[in-house]
């Protein structure tokens, strides 16, 4: 196990252009499960490769247990990696795939056998040890790839989109398998995904990245409840948060087809006549009668699309020029082209600066 620290770490490929990663600052706890999440190209893989030593950081420092490892080569960093492509050796049995790195380390045969069998038991693949990778399902191959990482008993696990080749059901299953595995082994883990549901369900802390820069680091609920800007607000949570443009007039913030009465502390962050973005999550909206009053937020519009998902119904409507989504409980009686009024409670309103898009509190 290890405390991994990245101090103002940057990476620039070549001499020109923007940094692929810039000013990355993070100190893990010992044995923590950190998820890096963000859209394609935001620098997740580059960050992982720098931690692994496969790519040199061009700025800052990387420390394992307070020791600078920036110039320690990958093979001496005591890290195990699991990738999207399982990269198993096709001509070797599962057993030999798992034993390979230990043989290279020249561990004695009995010790290798013990470690492989232990890992196989944890991952429930003992019955597959004699098979070749081609005779395994995708999920089984991914378990073997995990097994190959576990047997090395590394200080740090790096997992880069390890589940993206699996179908939806298997992904959910393997997600909880990896979380259970982590609870058992307690090895400091970095896990990359672009799937925010995976991030929310797996991460003890989540690092949200965009354009090479950290946007926010926090526990899943912190990111959901208190996003620092519209990017994080829109990225964390499905369906995404709705944003409506509105202007402060006295104690209210009103826009086309919508009106809000935020708590005083939030209202105080906005000047009279100032326009802001109001953020409301789809799951915090509920239908109300157009003429009833008293709620902190109300919006009205014409229903454009209805998606019944069984337990909930997604209703997409047009409020002024803005398309918004409401997630309603159960089966909705709403129909396309209905005029619908929705309301939400005061604690669920978010306000963002119009230009810089950062949270106003
Ligand atoms: P994805 O989710 O698509 O894998 P990512 O968040 O992992 O994306 P990176 O692969 O780290 O992003 O890429 C970050 C940026 O660095 C991108 O703009 C990418 O084009 C660039 N980049 C990555 N590898 C190299 C390289 N070897 N040479 C030059 N530029 C690179």
């Amino acid at each position: 196990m290890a405390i991994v620290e990245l101090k103002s770490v940057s990476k620039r490929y070549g001499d020109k252009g923007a940094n692929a990663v810039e000013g990355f600052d993070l100190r893990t706890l010992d044995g923590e499960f950190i998820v890096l999440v963000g859209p394609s190209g935001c620098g997740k893989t580059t960050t992982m490769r720098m931690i692994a030593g496969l790519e040199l950081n061009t700025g800052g420092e990387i420390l394992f247990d307070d020791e600078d490892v920036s110039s320690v080569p990958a093979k001496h960093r005591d890290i195990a990696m699991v990738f999207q492509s399982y990269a198993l050796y096709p001509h070797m049995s599962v057993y030999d795939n798992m034993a390979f790195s230990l043989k290279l380390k020249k561990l004695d045969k009995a010790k290798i056998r013990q470690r492989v069998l232990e890992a196989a038991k944890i991952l429930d693949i003992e019955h597959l040890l004699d098979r070749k990778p081609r005779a395994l399902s995708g999920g089984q191959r991914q378990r073997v790839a995990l097994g190959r990482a576990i047997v090395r008993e590394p200080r740090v696990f790096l997992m880069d989109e390890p589940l993206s080749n699996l179908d939806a059901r298997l992904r959910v299953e393997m997600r909880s398998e990896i979380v259970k595995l982590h609870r058992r082994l307690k090895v400091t883990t970095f896990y990359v995904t672009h799937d925010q549901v995976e991030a929310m369900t797996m991460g003890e802390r989540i690092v949200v990245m965009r354009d090479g820069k950290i946007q926010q680091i926090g526990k899943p609920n912190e990111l959901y409840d208190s996003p620092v800007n519209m990017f994080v607000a829109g990225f964390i949570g499905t369906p995404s948060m709705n944003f409506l443009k509105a202007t402060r007039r006295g104690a209210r913030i009103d826009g086309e087809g919508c009106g809000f009465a935020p708590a005083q502390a939030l209202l105080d962050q906005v000047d009279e006549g100032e326009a802001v973005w109001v953020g409301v999550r789809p799951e915090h909206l509920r239908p109300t009668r157009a003429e009833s009053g008293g709620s902190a937020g109300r919006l009205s519009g014409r229903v454009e699309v209805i998606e019944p998902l069984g337990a909930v119904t997604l209703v997409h409507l047009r409020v002024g020029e803005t398309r918004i989504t409401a997630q309603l409980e159960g089966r909705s009686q709403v129909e396309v082209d209905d005029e619908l009024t929705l309301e939400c409670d005061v604690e669920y309103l978010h306000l963002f600066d119009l230009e810089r898009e950062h949270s106003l509190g």
Side-chain angles (χ1 to χ4, degrees):
M1 284 192 281
I3 294 170
V4 177
E5 186 168 9
L6 290 91
K7 278 189 181 167
S8 203
V9 167
S10 298
K11 174 71 188 180
R12 183 196 292 259
Y13 291 104
D15 303 335
K16 287 199 282 281
N19 283 342
V21 174
E22 196 172 315
F24 192 109
D25 271 311
L26 172 73
R27 184 180 164 89
T28 71
L29 301 173
D30 200 5
E32 196 173 15
F33 197 107
I34 299 282
V35 174
L36 305 184
V37 69
S40 185
C42 72
K44 306 180 294 291
T45 298
T46 300
T47 304
M48 295 285 262
R49 289 176 62 81
M50 288 191 287
I51 298 170
L54 297 172
E55 213 60 79
L56 288 180
N57 43 311
T58 47
E61 284 177 4
I62 298 174
L63 303 109
F64 286 7
D65 291 325
D66 296 320
E67 184 196 329
D68 190 349
V69 295
S70 299
S71 53
V72 175
K75 64 178 181 210
H76 293 135
R77 288 198 190 185
D78 206 3
I79 270 177
M81 304 186 73
V82 184
F83 294 107
Q84 168 180 350
S85 63
Y86 323 112
L88 301 177
Y89 299 111
H91 57 288
M92 286 186 198
S93 68
V94 167
Y95 182 95
D96 288 336
N97 263 285
M98 287 170 70
F100 188 71
S101 67
L102 304 182
K103 283 183 187 159
L104 284 186
K105 276 198 200 165
K106 304 216 181 328
L107 255 64
D108 73 66
K109 260 194 168 159
K111 185 83 195 154
I112 293 176
R113 189 168 174 74
Q114 183 201 341
R115 284 214 202 163
V116 171
L117 293 183
E118 258 172 37
K121 189 161 179 218
I122 291 173
L123 291 161
D124 198 18
I125 49 173
E126 290 157 294
H127 58 298
L128 304 174
L129 288 172
D130 293 332
R131 290 207 201 159
K132 295 273 167 59
R134 67 171 178 277
L136 302 175
S137 71
Q140 289 167 338
R141 276 180 217 169
Q142 193 50 272
R143 279 168 201 268
V144 177
L146 284 170
R148 205 171 44 172
I150 293 174
V151 294
R152 298 176 55 187
E153 300 182 351
R155 289 167 91 186
V156 179
F157 274 127
L158 301 178
M159 304 191 187
D160 195 345
E161 307 237 13
L163 307 183
S164 46
N165 281 345
L166 305 179
D167 68 41
R169 196 184 56 78
L170 209 49
R171 274 180 86 122
V172 174
E173 196 180 306
M174 286 303 291
R175 224 151 69 187
S176 61
E177 290 285 322
I178 290 177
V179 170
K180 275 193 255 166
L181 194 64
H182 173 257
R183 274 201 212 113
R184 182 169 176 157
L185 302 174
K186 272 285 168 204
V187 174
T188 309
T189 301
F190 284 81
Y191 186 101
V192 160
T193 179
H194 59 264
D195 177 345
Q196 60 88 25
V197 176
E198 214 162 278
M200 290 289 280
T201 52
M202 297 180 79
E204 288 176 315
R205 274 194 301 163
I206 301 173
V207 180
V208 182
M209 297 181 70
R210 179 195 200 183
D211 295 338
K213 297 191 194 77
I214 294 178
Q215 302 292 297
Q216 189 169 5
I217 303 177
K219 298 194 167 82
N221 284 340
E222 286 168 4
L223 299 186
Y224 178 85
D225 293 337
S226 313
V228 296
N229 58 29
M230 282 171 71
F231 177 79
V232 177
F235 196 80
I236 298 289
T238 15
S240 288
M241 187 184 278
N242 300 296
F243 300 109
L244 297 122
K245 201 167 163 180
T247 304
R248 175 166 179 189
R249 307 265 179 241
R252 297 187 54 81
I253 294 183
D254 290 328
E256 208 184 343
C258 60
F260 306 93
Q264 191 63 42
L266 197 52
L267 193 66
D268 287 345
Q269 307 303 314
V270 187
D271 294 333
E272 177 66 21
E274 184 187 348
V276 291
W277 291 108
V278 180
V280 189
R281 293 199 182 278
E283 56 273 35
H284 295 147
L285 289 167
R286 57 175 183 266
T288 184
R289 293 224 309 277
E291 63 275 14
S292 73
S295 54
R298 295 167 69 76
L299 35 103
S300 302
R302 186 178 293 273
V303 174
E304 291 189 327
V305 178
I306 298 170
E307 293 179 275
L309 301 179
V312 295
T313 303
L314 299 184
V315 178
H316 303 274
L317 58 161
R318 199 180 175 105
V319 176
E321 290 300 300
T322 311
R323 288 207 162 79
I324 74 122
T325 303
Q327 179 174 296
L328 308 182
E329 290 297 314
R331 294 178 192 181
S332 174
Q333 303 305 316
V334 176
E335 289 182 26
V336 170
D337 284 340
D338 279 358
E339 285 295 330
L340 184 64
T341 299
L342 299 161
E343 64 175 356
C344 84
D345 295 332
V346 69
E347 68 263 37
Y348 298 129
L349 292 181
H350 299 262
L351 299 183
F352 300 93
D353 181 277
L354 195 67
E355 302 291 323
R356 293 165 59 207
E357 302 191 346
H358 64 105
S359 170
L360 295 171

